[in-house]
Every structure is written in structure tokens, then in C-alpha cells.
Amino acid sequence: MAVTKKKAAPKKSNTVKLKFDTSWNYAPAPESKSAATIHKQYDLFINGEWQKPSGKKYFDTINPATEEKLSEVAMANEADTNKAVTAARNAYEKVWKKMPAKERGKYIFRIARMIQEKARELAVIETLDGGKPIRESRDFDVPTAANHFFYYAGWADKLEYAFPNRQASPLGVAGQIIPWNFPLLMAAWKIAPALATGNTVVLKPAETTPLTALKLAEIIQEADLPPGVVNILTGAGETGASIVNHPGIDKIAFTGSTEVGKLIQRAIAGTNKKATLELGGKAANIIFEDAPIDQAVEGVINGIFFNQGHVCCAGSRLYVQESIAKQVIRKLKDRIETLIVGDPIDKNTDIGAINSKQQLDTIHKYLNIGKKEGAEMYESSCPLPRKGYFCRPTIFTNVAQSSRIAQEEIFGPVLAVLTFRTDDEVIEKANNSPYGLSAGVWTDKGSKIFNMTKRMRAGVVWANTFNKFDPSSPFGGYKESGFGREGGLHGLMPYIHLTHQS
């Protein structure tokens, strides 16, 4: 008789298996738009008053995240430029240069305090008009703009200590043209040192992001700055050209593309106008095998993706030592999968909207170029909003040094990854660029940092960090990234004449 053995019951395990649902999303956390007052129409700010444009023309400024119209903004023509320069000249000759420096400092300090008081409103307007995440506007753009006014308010009555044994005198009227990527901050970078040194200003913001500059005009008016000391003209390229070419302008300060910077150089050649130009960039971010890798990866993400690559100094070229390349690339791909692309006004958003359809088209053009050149493209799988101008964060690997995506400025959330073996090789590759605005080095050896910073042709080199700014620190570039410095003691130099005291 066959005996059938019963199978033993499986032993119960004490191990609890957990399953995680990774498909969850953050609940929306939008900043209230009610914090911002945006008028239906804006005129020109000339001689302390709002004036209708001579040509009676206005243009729309658009929210790039929704493609909705925010406001109508005046289009300044040559006649308006004449009025603004005349107002600035009268204010310079009759009021501002004669005012005691201590009193000038009080006005600049007052503007700084009012920016702080209106910080929430300014951050919301910056995000609605420019498309950048509210976190960036709130935590970086607006506070740093206020800090620049605070910093230069302190220098106003101390120029004799800044330039010992020399007499500093203002130039006169400064024509200033700023870009769309940091509208309020760029205005602060330019206006604050000009006022501190006794100059008056005619400022033109970018046509796609004029609203925070116009809100700054309201602040200037409320601060009782003497009429004509700061004038703000809105418009397109023709307005900027009329400022550059105006014979009543003594100094040009421009931040923008290298191509326009070259046009400005040609326009002012043979004149007595001084100039500072902060132009394009293609920053090299270098990770050595001894670097703190997780920290470096987060620095790379911060340097190119959190600001949508909309910074001239964005670390859009990443050089990784070969021995750690696979590890770094894997971590980068994992990290960009966690980035949230969407409504810029939502506090959860990491990557907001591209500033304009034209800029989005430029980014897409370079994505196609990268694929045609044989690079491997990896983009985040995140969904994109149906309306607005959005782009997924993208990484290109196996990129050749000669590739256009490694040589040309894209101005978008696109990272080109290249590899190297030795210090000398990466120095040669990093310097092999028409630009020289900034760079980053990641290593645990101080001697290597000093070796790299000494040999790299970049105006700013960050060590084990990236995109850190301070009003007391100068910023500017080499080669086709422009000339002159903004920020710090160096930022006073472009706005003064220096003569030796007898």
C-alpha cells in the first residue's frame, strides 16, 4: 500500500514586503495672483511721469505659460528717446550730480526697502511675465535685486575710499538695455551703481518681459526720486538702437546676445561713449573622479535645469572624468525624471515656461541638430501642459567637442555631456569655446581647484557649487562673452571718470 506524504506547509516569513506607489503627484500649490496688480495698459516713464508714446503704438506682453495677454505696453520711438535723454540730462546737470552723495544713497536705500516691501508682488509679476518658477522669482530674483540696491546705497558716499588718492566723477547719462531672463535683477545690476556714482539713467527692458521694470518705475515714483533721474522706455530692437545711437548718451550698459553686442560696439566706435557688455556664454561644468558626486549632480541640475537654462552662465557643457561618467550620467537621468515641468506660479514646479515661442523654436532647432550630429538624446518622460511654451529637460551624451550643441548657446534646459581623462585635456576642451563667462569645478582637492581657476578663461569660476551670486562680487566675461564687470567694487568703475588728486 503506497503511503502519500503530505507536503509541509510553507513557513511563514517575518519579512514584510512593502510596495510603493510611485505614480503619485503633488497637489497643486499655486501662489495667489491677487498679490500682483497689473494694469491693462502701461505708458512710458519719462521725467518722473507716465507719458503716452509719441507714435501712439502699444504691444502685448504675454504670459508664456498660458499664452494669455497680460497687458498692453507702450512702444517708444526716437522722439520718446529724445524726451527721455533730455529729461535725464536735465536731472543730471541740475539735481543729481549736485546732490550730496549721502543724500543720493538715501534714495537708493529707500528703493531697496520698497522692493523688499513689495517682494511678493514683484515675484508674482516676474513669474507671470517671464515664465520662470515662482520659487526662483521669490527666493532669488527679487531678494538679490533688493540686495544690489542696498549694497550700492552704501557705496554712494564712500567713493573716496573705493578709489584712494583719485577723484571719481560721474559720466552723465547712462543708456541701459536689459534681457528677458532676469528682468528685475538686471535692472538692479545696472541702475543701482549708476545712481550711486551720480549718473542718471534711460533704461529699456526686453519687449517680452517689461512688467517688473514698469513696476520698478512705480516704486521709483513712490520713493520720490527726483524726476528724470531714472527713465524707462519700453519697446523692441528699434528702441534699443535709438538709445545706443543717441548723441546725448555717455555710457551704454548692455546684457544680451553676442550678435547684438557686436552691433553696439560698431555703433559706438569713434564716439566717446563708454560701454560694458555682458553677452552670451557656454559654461563648462567639470566633475573630477574625486568630487562629491551627489553634490555635483545636484549642482549640475541647479546650474542648467532649475533656471531652464535661461542664464548666460548656465552650465550647459558638462565635462565628466571617464572613470565616473556612467555613474554621473545615470544619476543625472534619474534626477531629471523627478523634475516637475508645469505651471510656473505653482510652488511645486521646478521648470516653468520658456519665455517665448521664438525661444522655444530655437531650442527645438538645437534638439534636432544634436540628434543629426549623432549625439544620444535623453529627455524626461514628464507630461507637458497643453497650452504654453514648455520643454522637457534634456541630456545629450556621446557629444563631440566640435558639435554645435557643445559650442553654441542654446538658452534652454539642454545639457551636453562630454568626457575627459586628464587635467590638461579638460582645460583645453573647456577653453575651446568662443565664450568665457563662467565655469564650475567639482573636486575635493584645493590644489586642483586653484590649478583649474588659474588656467580657465572664464570670468567667474565656482568651486563645488554653481550659480552663486552676491552683490559684492564682480561678474563678467572674456572673449565673446563681453567685457567689463558688474557687481562689487568693480561695478562702480564703468560709471565714473577717475582723475589723480594733486
Side-chain angles (χ1 to χ4, degrees), residues 97-313:
K97 79 171 182 180
K98 294 180 179 179
M99 185 181 291
K102 181 172 66 175
E103 297 302 314
R104 290 201 300 263
K106 289 179 181 178
Y107 280 107
I108 304 168
F109 186 85
R110 189 181 302 168
I111 293 169
R113 287 298 301 272
M114 293 178 71
I115 290 174
Q116 283 187 323
E117 291 167 4
K118 298 178 185 291
R120 187 180 179 196
E121 180 180 21
L122 287 164
V124 171
I125 294 173
E126 196 77 298
T127 289
L128 292 176
D129 202 26
K132 64 174 55 186
I134 187 66
R135 294 205 315 259
E136 185 178 355
S137 300
R138 179 195 65 195
D139 299 340
F140 178 74
D141 291 47
V142 176
T144 312
N147 288 345
H148 273 79
F149 278 103
F150 276 125
Y151 177 77
Y152 283 110
W155 271 122
D157 62 347
K158 301 176 185 66
L159 297 182
E160 60 185 294
Y161 302 103
F163 309 104
N165 302 317
R166 290 179 289 177
Q167 180 69 40
S169 57
L171 301 178
V173 179
Q176 303 178 329
I177 302 168
I178 59 176
W180 50 261
N181 55 344
F182 288 91
L184 182 65
L185 179 55
M186 292 295 101
W189 274 29
K190 289 172 169 53
I191 293 175
L195 298 190
T197 49
N199 301 274
T200 55
V201 168
V202 177
L203 177 88
K204 190 200 91 69
E207 60 268 32
T208 57
T209 53
L211 294 185
T212 43
L214 295 168
K215 183 58 66 173
L216 180 60
E218 293 179 9
I219 290 172
I220 286 168
Q221 194 176 37
E222 192 176 338
D224 289 328
L225 194 70
V229 173
V230 173
N231 307 272
I232 296 180
L233 301 178
T234 47
E238 295 81 3
T239 307
S242 68
I243 294 172
V244 169
N245 294 318
H246 198 286
I249 295 289
D250 301 296
K251 152 86 173 116
I252 295 295
F254 172 77
T255 298
S257 70
T258 297
E259 291 74 21
V260 175
K262 290 177 179 179
L263 292 175
I264 290 173
Q265 278 188 290
R266 286 195 285 268
I268 65 174
T271 71
N272 291 322
K273 295 175 184 175
K274 293 183 73 172
T276 48
L277 303 176
E278 197 254 284
L279 308 176
K282 192 71 178 176
N285 215 349
I286 302 169
I287 302 179
F288 286 94
E289 60 188 359
D290 59 2
I293 293 178
D294 288 337
Q295 181 182 333
V297 167
E298 199 60 27
V300 172
I301 296 292
N302 175 62
I304 182 66
F305 294 122
F306 279 170
N307 51 56
Q308 295 135 281
H310 289 171
V311 191
C312 300
C313 56

Side-chain angles (χ1 to χ4, degrees), residues 378-389:
Y378 179 86
E379 62 178 8
S380 166
S381 61
C382 65
L384 296 182
R386 293 182 179 180
K387 291 195 75 174
Y389 313 129

